[in-house]
Amino acid sequence: MFKDLAYCRPTTVAEAIEALKRPGSRALAGGTDLVVRLREGREGVTMVVDLSGIRALGRIGVQGEEIFLGSMVTLRQIMDSALLRHEAPLLARAAAAVGSPRIRNRGTIGGNIMNASPAGDTLPALLALEASVILSGPGGERRLPLAELLAGPYRTRALPGEFLTEIRFPRLPAGHGSSFLKLGRRNALAVARINVAAVLQVTDKRIRVARLAAGAVTPVPRRFPEAEALLLGAAPGEEAFHAAAREVAAGMVREAGQRHPLADKIPVVEALVLRALREAGDGHIKPGSY
Ligand SMILES: Cc1cc2nc3c(=O)[nH]c(=O)nc-3n(C[C@H](O)[C@H](O)[C@H](O)COP(=O)(O)OP(=O)(O)OC[C@H]3O[C@@H](n4cnc5c(N)ncnc54)[C@H](O)[C@@H]3O)c2cc1C
């Protein structure tokens, strides 16, 4: 099936850059997305560059006030990492929400990001964590906010030959609470897949930090600054949470249009955002809840 496809497995970032310079080459991480597409013959790929030989891409750690993880860290490793479960429980829960155990064992954070699916589960969590990505390519290394990388459904702003090496995000503020929730596709109910991530920090009974991101409700997963503005300075509770949830749904409709099929999902979006805010307002995601 793949008899005309060349394959290489570099062991350093520099070797991968050389290989990815060649026209028709494509990065291969866990292959859970790419192999399906190659089988369908849709990609015009002539060589796959398997990144699994580059050990540096598998690290998870802390540097100063930042958490970093290599692009080849698997979703399973994220779920199992004591550091990430403690520092970024919403990301651990998002990783746990992806596909099946087999997909999570092979699928990587880098693949989930670079696939740039509107419904990619780690994306809202990473946006709420204010994550940045490190890209390496023929022009050197550059860092950009994740929100800037995402150009549209299944499209990124990576330049030709560039690949994702690392993801970094600042530690969450002291006393924060967070949440990630996903509504899976259930054909009988015809409910679109929606995922929501929230981070709240409350001091002196006021919300001081509010970050809300959602996926699958807009062409690109994104933060909802108008909803966040309604939360900032407000007392944490039902009134503020309902107002913010309504604003996320309104933002979705503004972007997608009232006649878009998603407009029917307004109550579902509101309910999921509300639940996420309640959980984040309550403090940490409870251990064992993913
Ligand atoms: C049955 C099934 C269920 C799924 N369920 C979910 C789900 O519930 N939620 C969800 O979010 N996703 C889901 N997925 C999609 C997929 O499994 C995830 O997106 C996964 O994280 C992809 O990672 P990967 O390592 O397998 O990527 P790959 O398949 O190896 O690559 C995906 C794309 O990203 C590019 N890429 C990978 N790594 C890099 C890199 N470091 N730099 C540059 N480009 C790179 C590849 O070239 C390719 O275009 C599902 C897939 C299947 C087949």
Side-chain angles (χ1 to χ4, degrees), residues 95-111:
V98 175
S100 61
R102 275 179 70 180
I103 296 284
R104 294 192 291 271
N105 285 343
R106 289 203 64 83
T108 63
I109 182 88

Side-chain angles (χ1 to χ4, degrees), residues 87-148:
E87 295 281 348
L90 70 169
L91 181 61
R93 196 193 265 176
V98 175
S100 61
R102 275 179 70 180
I103 296 284
R104 294 192 291 271
N105 285 343
R106 289 203 64 83
T108 63
I109 182 88
N112 201 242
I113 293 172
M114 297 307 284
N115 198 35
S117 160
D121 279 315
T122 66
L123 299 175
L126 289 169
L127 289 167
L129 287 165
E130 304 200 317
S132 296
V133 294
I134 314 288
L135 298 169
S136 293
E141 193 178 272
R142 66 185 177 119
R143 174 176 176 145
L144 72 164
L146 173 62
E148 285 179 26

